[in-house]
Amino acid sequence: MTGTVTRTKAVACDRGALSTGIVHFGVGGFHRSHQQAYTDDLLRQDFDAAKDWCYTGVGVLEWDVKMRDYLKNNDWRYPIVARQGTDEDAMDMHVHEVVTLRDMVLSFEDPAAVVRLLAAPSTKIVSLTITEYGYRVPLNEGDHKLLELANQGVLDDPELSMPESLDAACAKATVFGLVLAALAARHRLGRRPFTVMSCDNLPHNGEVAKRRVINAARDAPECDDAFRAWLEEEVRYPSTMVDRITPATSWDDIAT
C-alpha cells in the first residue's frame, strides 16, 4: 500500500467520567464504525454534553464472546479504518481511535444484569442492529420467566445473577424478551420508557420494531392491558435510514 496514513488519536479525557446513555444490541462492524464514530465525534466537540450518551453493548449470541473479549482486552477502545481513493493499491487511509464504548455484557451470562441495565433511568435509548431475522424470533420460556420476575420486582436486586440465582431458561432470553422485561420494570417503577431505535436495513424499521414489541406484549400473559397501552402510547420507535455497510477488516488494516 503506497497511500498516505493519517490518524486521529483517542480523545484525551477521563473515561471514568463517561456514562452509559445508550444500550446497543448487536455490536458488529456497522455499529462500531458508524454509531460509535458519531458519538465519539460529539464527545470531541462538547465533552460535557456528550459524556452521558456513551454506549454499553449487549450480545445475545455465543459468538459475541469473541467480540466482548477483544474489546475488553483493549480497554474498550478500538480503531476505525477508513480508506479513500480510486486505486485499490494506493488508497489513503485514516485511522480513528474510538473511546465511547464503555463496556459490553452478554445476556446468556447474566440476563438479570441486562434487564437492570436497560431499566436504569440513565438508559435513554436502546438501539438495535439484529438483522431482519431478529424481529421474527418468538418469545421463549426464558423471556416469559424474565417478564414474570420483572413484574414481581425480583430483577431489581443487584445480587441476582446467573447462573446461581436465576432460572436457567433465562439464559436463552431473546432481544425482545429482554427489552420487554426492562420496559415492564420501568413501567412498574413509574419511570419513563427508553426509546427503541432500530438501525437495521429495513423499510420503516421503527414501525417494524414497534410492531414486534406490541405483538410480543399481546402474546405474553404476563403483560396486562395497562402495560400494553403504555408500550403503544408512551414508547417511541423512530425510523432510521441505513445506507452504508462496513467491509470486513483485512490483515493489512490490522498491520497498519
Side-chain angles (χ1 to χ4, degrees), residues 57-120:
V58 177
V60 299
L61 302 172
E62 289 186 5
W63 54 74
D64 287 321
V65 172
K66 185 176 180 181
M67 177 60 68
R68 190 273 311 270
D69 290 349
Y70 161 74
L71 292 166
K72 184 177 181 179
N73 290 338
N74 285 279
D75 194 27
W76 310 108
R77 294 159 61 149
Y78 65 91
I80 297 172
V81 177
R83 290 179 171 176
Q84 184 174 6
T86 57
D87 183 349
E88 185 176 351
D89 295 323
M91 299 182 78
D92 295 332
M93 176 185 291
H94 182 73
V95 182
H96 177 169
E97 189 168 1
V98 173
V99 300
T100 46
L101 179 66
R102 296 187 62 250
D103 54 4
M104 180 176 174
V105 294
L106 302 177
S107 63
F108 48 87
E109 289 185 351
D110 197 342
V114 173
V115 173
R116 285 195 295 272
L117 171 66
L118 271 61

Side-chain angles (χ1 to χ4, degrees), residues 18-76:
L18 305 179
S19 62
T20 296
I22 309 174
V23 177
H24 184 79
F25 283 87
V27 185
F30 175 82
H31 168 69
R32 287 181 289 118
S33 62
H34 292 91
Q35 292 162 291
Q36 292 284 356
Y38 299 141
T39 307
D40 195 80
D41 286 343
L42 291 172
L43 198 67
R44 295 169 190 275
Q45 294 175 28
D46 191 335
F47 181 84
D48 288 335
K51 64 184 176 65
D52 296 327
W53 289 89
C54 294
Y55 281 88
T56 289
V58 177
V60 299
L61 302 172
E62 289 186 5
W63 54 74
D64 287 321
V65 172
K66 185 176 180 181
M67 177 60 68
R68 190 273 311 270
D69 290 349
Y70 161 74
L71 292 166
K72 184 177 181 179
N73 290 338
N74 285 279
D75 194 27
W76 310 108

Side-chain angles (χ1 to χ4, degrees), residues 227-242:
F227 177 51
R228 293 174 183 134
W230 185 79
L231 292 173
E232 193 152 7
E233 297 168 6
E234 299 296 330
V235 182
R236 297 294 177 258
Y237 308 86
S239 286
T240 61
M241 175 62 71
V242 179

Side-chain angles (χ1 to χ4, degrees), residues 6 25 34 75 91 103 110 136 146-147 155 173 179 189-190 193 197-198 200 203 225-226 228 250:
T6 56
F25 283 87
H34 292 91
D75 194 27
M91 299 182 78
D103 54 4
D110 197 342
R136 302 200 302 267
L146 280 178
L147 272 168
L155 298 180
V179 167
L189 293 166
M197 184 173 72
S198 171
D200 283 292
D225 289 341
R228 293 174 183 134
S250 70

